[in-house]
Amino acid sequence: MNVVVNYFSDSQGAALAVQEIEKEGGKAVAIQANIGEESGVKKILDTAISKFGGVDVWVNNAGVENQSPTHELSLDDWNRVISTNLTGVFLGSKTALKYFVENGKKGNIINMSSVHEQIPWPGFAHYAASKGGVKLFTESIAMEYAKQNIRVNNIGPGAINTPINAKKFADPVQYEQTASMAPMHRIGKPEEVAAAAAWLASDESSYVTGVTLFVDGGMTLYPAFQDGKG
Ligand code: BGC
């Protein structure tokens, strides 16, 4: 497997990902690019073509969030979250679609959405808005390009042990609170999300397009009802 690992500022994390891939017998290259800009996603595509001869699967994985009461939310924070989480998905998908269409190739796009494409999130309205946008963007382009054999799907992670949650999960009380919001009563592991991506990337999912595969320990199942109350 050949992978272009994109990073914005975390060059160490990207180098580690490259090492892991190479340890498993794959090839990988890390490149810095801002996926919120057209030139950034073009750089990623050009690298995949020059280093590995093309693209089979394009994953839009970058995401950011911050908490703020909406009446105090700055336009800068709104723009930062929308630019990475939604515009980045648009630009990455556009670049990949153009490449697949122009080369007459079947294609596969995987977008990292969230349980918050479905669950409202007070204090994170810009984040929820970005993920709600990703949901309908994915469904729309899945339909638009289905005839060309290009599949587009979302993964909807719940609470996963990744850097986006590091600060919150460093506090045992918040960790427990978040874990108990999933009927499975635990925080997810990054590799559990990766396994969903590997399946969507493979031909095992060849008839699947336009879906969100939630990897959330049941968080989207109305956990307030988990004890049979209601
Ligand atoms: C967010 C996490 C959050 C989880 C469940 C994810 O999309 O990135 O910070 O814990 O949703 O609310």
Side-chain angles (χ1 to χ4, degrees), residues 89-171:
V89 169
F90 157 60
L91 290 176
S93 300
K94 176 186 164 184
T95 303
L97 288 168
K98 197 162 168 3
Y99 166 81
F100 293 140
V101 169
E102 286 180 357
N103 290 281
K105 279 184 79 162
K106 76 170 189 177
N108 191 339
I109 298 175
I110 301 169
N111 294 326
M112 206 50 71
S113 181
S114 161
V115 291
H116 297 295
E117 69 163 48
Q118 180 174 312
I119 305 175
W121 203 12
F124 293 82
H126 50 334
Y127 182 80
S130 72
K131 298 300 183 178
V134 166
K135 173 184 157 65
L136 271 169
F137 178 72
T138 293
E139 290 174 358
S140 300
I141 61 171
M143 190 132 73
E144 194 171 337
Y145 293 93
K147 273 204 203 85
Q148 278 119 301
N149 208 10
I150 298 171
R151 302 192 291 118
V152 192
N153 292 291
N154 287 339
I155 295 175
I160 311 292
N161 219 340
T162 65
I164 208 169
N165 288 319
K167 227 167 116 194
K168 183 169 55 189
F169 290 171
D171 171 5

Side-chain angles (χ1 to χ4, degrees), residues 24-51:
E24 297 293 321
K27 285 192 195 142
V29 54
I31 60 156
Q32 197 286 334
N34 180 359
I35 51 88
E37 288 171 4
E38 207 133 33
S39 57
V41 286
K42 182 153 185 323
K43 193 165 151 190
I44 298 169
L45 177 71
D46 290 347
T47 305
I49 294 171
S50 66
K51 295 273 179 202

